[in-house]
Amino acid sequence: MITLENYLDSAEVAEDLKELIVLISKQALPIRNAFIENQSYAGTENKSGEVQAELDVWSDEHLINVLKKSSLVKELASEEQPEILKFENAKADYAVVMDPLDGSSLIQVNLCVGTIIGIYDNGRALNRGEDLAAAMYMLYGPMTVLVLTVGKGVYVFAMDGEERYIMLDGPVKMPEGKIYGSGALRKEWTLKHKRFIEEIEEDGGKLRYSGSFVADFHQVLKYGGVYCYPGTDKKPEGKLRLVFEANPIGFIAKQAGGAVSDGGTNLLTVKPEKADHKTPIYVGSAGLISKLESM
Ligand code: AHG
Ligand code: MN
Ligand code: MN
Ligand code: MN
C-alpha cells in the first residue's frame, strides 16, 4: 500500500510543495461534508458571468482560508474571485490556480463533481500551462479520488477509511479511445466541430457527457477519447477557462500521453491574458487531438 506521502517522497518533491499538495488534498473531506448545507444558489455571479452555487462560494472561501493560513502561497487565482489574490505572509514562491467546485450544475442532483488545482513555483498565477510544477484534481464520487502529477507522470489515489490517500494506479497512460463528449448546443456547432464529432461517431464513438468537466475527463483519462467544449459562431471563445480548467487538466492529460488543444494549437503554450481567459478546449487521446488539428 503506497500513500500519497510515500509517493511524494519517492518523487523527490520539495518538502514545502509536498506540504502544499497534502494540505490541498485533505480539503476533499470538508468540501464533501459541505454539500448537504450548500445545495442552492448564492444569488451572486462570478467574473465569467455564471450564477454561483452556494457550494462554489463555500469551497472557494474554505480553500482561500486554508491556503492563506499555510503561508506557502504568494498568489491565488480562483474561478470564483474577481481578482488574483496576493498573500503578503507567504514564505514560499508557490502560486495556485483553482476551480474550487467544477460541475456546479450537478450539485443538486448528486452527480460527480470535483476541484481542479494547478500549482506554479514562480510566485505568479498567470503562466503558461506547460510551466506548472504540479496539477491535481479531487473527484467527489462513490470514492474520493485524487489525480496528481508533479511532472513525473500521473498517479491516481483514493481516500480510505483512515482518511489517507492510497495509490490505485500509476503511472497512467491514456489509451487511444472512443469516449467523446461535447458542450455547446449542437445547432450552434461549427462545421469543423460537427465533422470531428461525426467521424468519432462513425468510428463507433460512445457519448459520455455529464456536465462535469472533471468527471468526464476522468473517463477519458482511463478509457481514451476526447472531451470538447468548442467555440461557436456565437461564442468563439467557448465556455471553459484556460487558467483554472484547461491548463491543470491539460497538463495532466499531457503527462499521461494525451494532449490539449483549442482545435489549432497546444493550449499549454498559450500565455493567459487574464485570469478568466476563456478558450475552446479539446482534451484527450493524442491521436484524436492531432487528427482534429490537421482537419
Ligand atoms: P463550473 O461548474 O466550474 O462552472 O464548470 C462547468 C463546466 C464544466 O465542468 C462542464 O463540462 C461544463 O461547464 C458544462 O457546461 P454545459 O452545462 O454548458 O454543458
Ligand atoms: Mn462556474
Ligand atoms: Mn469548472
Ligand atoms: Mn467551478
Side-chain angles (χ1 to χ4, degrees), residues 46-61:
N46 64 17
K47 195 150 188 196
S48 301
E50 296 169 338
V51 174
Q52 290 176 306
E54 280 181 331
L55 194 62
D56 283 329
V57 173
W58 191 94
S59 309
D60 185 49
E61 286 171 0

Side-chain angles (χ1 to χ4, degrees), residues 2-23 25 133-134 136 146 148-150 152 155 157 165 167:
I2 301 174
T3 65
L4 171 61
E5 289 80 353
N6 297 153
Y7 167 69
L8 291 168
D9 290 341
S10 69
E12 292 168 358
V13 167
E15 268 315 301
D16 54 9
L17 179 56
K18 173 185 169 188
E19 188 188 336
L20 182 56
I21 290 168
V22 169
L23 178 66
S25 74
M136 57 201 273
L146 166 73
L148 168 74
T149 183
V150 294
K152 299 177 178 172
Y155 290 81
F157 302 84
Y165 281 101
M167 189 182 287

Side-chain angles (χ1 to χ4, degrees), residues 70-271:
S70 76
S71 73
L72 289 167
V73 176
K74 214 168 220 160
E75 285 195 4
L76 170 57
S78 165
E79 177 197 333
E80 306 306 338
Q81 289 297 320
E83 303 307 328
I84 292 174
L85 303 178
K86 298 185 193 295
F87 298 138
E88 305 308 326
N89 67 328
K91 297 190 188 71
D93 273 341
Y94 296 110
V96 170
V97 297
M98 70 176 184
D99 179 352
L101 207 289
D102 172 73
S104 315
S105 66
L106 303 180
I107 295 165
Q108 295 188 338
V109 290
N110 196 40
L111 288 177
C112 290
V113 295
T115 296
I116 306 172
I117 299 281
I119 302 175
Y120 293 98
D121 56 9
N122 64 359
R124 288 194 321 275
L126 288 191
N127 297 284
R128 291 178 178 77
E130 64 192 355
D131 296 330
L132 278 161
M136 57 201 273
Y137 59 82
M138 284 92 91
L139 179 57
Y140 311 121
M143 295 193 296
T144 298
V145 159
L146 166 73
V147 173
L148 168 74
T149 183
V150 294
K152 299 177 178 172
V154 175
Y155 290 81
V156 181
F157 302 84
M159 195 179 269
D160 74 355
E162 326 277 315
E163 299 177 7
R164 291 169 306 185
Y165 281 101
I166 307 295
M167 189 182 287
L168 285 187
D169 193 3
V172 177
K173 294 295 165 227
M174 186 193 289
E176 287 299 327
K178 300 199 165 111
I179 292 244
Y180 74 96
S182 175
L185 298 175
R186 185 176 280 267
K187 66 180 179 183
E188 291 173 7
W189 289 354
T190 63
L191 267 183
K192 174 179 172 179
H193 182 68
K194 214 173 268 178
R195 257 198 20 251
F196 177 60
I197 295 293
E198 282 163 0
E199 284 182 20
I200 297 172
E201 286 169 334
E202 275 145 33
D203 192 28
K206 284 188 161 177
L207 174 59
R208 292 286 185 273
Y209 186 77
S210 74
S212 164
F213 178 33
V214 175
D216 293 343
F217 171 76
H218 195 59
Q219 276 201 75
V220 168
L221 178 68
K222 176 78 182 169
Y223 298 127
V226 65
Y227 167 95
C228 320
Y229 208 106
T232 62
D233 297 333
K234 266 190 190 166
K235 287 191 180 164
E237 74 284 2
K239 174 183 183 184
L240 267 57
R241 282 70 34 137
L242 175 65
V243 172
F244 317 120
E245 291 163 311
N247 277 342
I249 298 291
F251 189 74
I252 290 169
K254 184 89 177 147
Q255 281 285 315
V260 62
S261 173
D262 59 5
T265 39
N266 171 3
L267 278 177
L268 296 176
T269 61
V270 174
K271 181 99 176 80

Side-chain angles (χ1 to χ4, degrees), residues 22-71:
V22 169
L23 178 66
I24 293 170
S25 74
K26 288 185 184 302
Q27 304 321 311
L29 268 185
I31 291 172
R32 280 198 89 121
N33 292 334
F35 273 69
I36 194 161
E37 298 292 327
N38 294 278
Q39 279 291 299
S40 61
Y41 284 87
T44 47
E45 268 191 14
N46 64 17
K47 195 150 188 196
S48 301
E50 296 169 338
V51 174
Q52 290 176 306
E54 280 181 331
L55 194 62
D56 283 329
V57 173
W58 191 94
S59 309
D60 185 49
E61 286 171 0
H62 175 77
L63 287 164
I64 290 170
N65 292 337
V66 164
L67 292 173
K68 185 172 180 178
K69 247 169 58 194
S70 76
S71 73

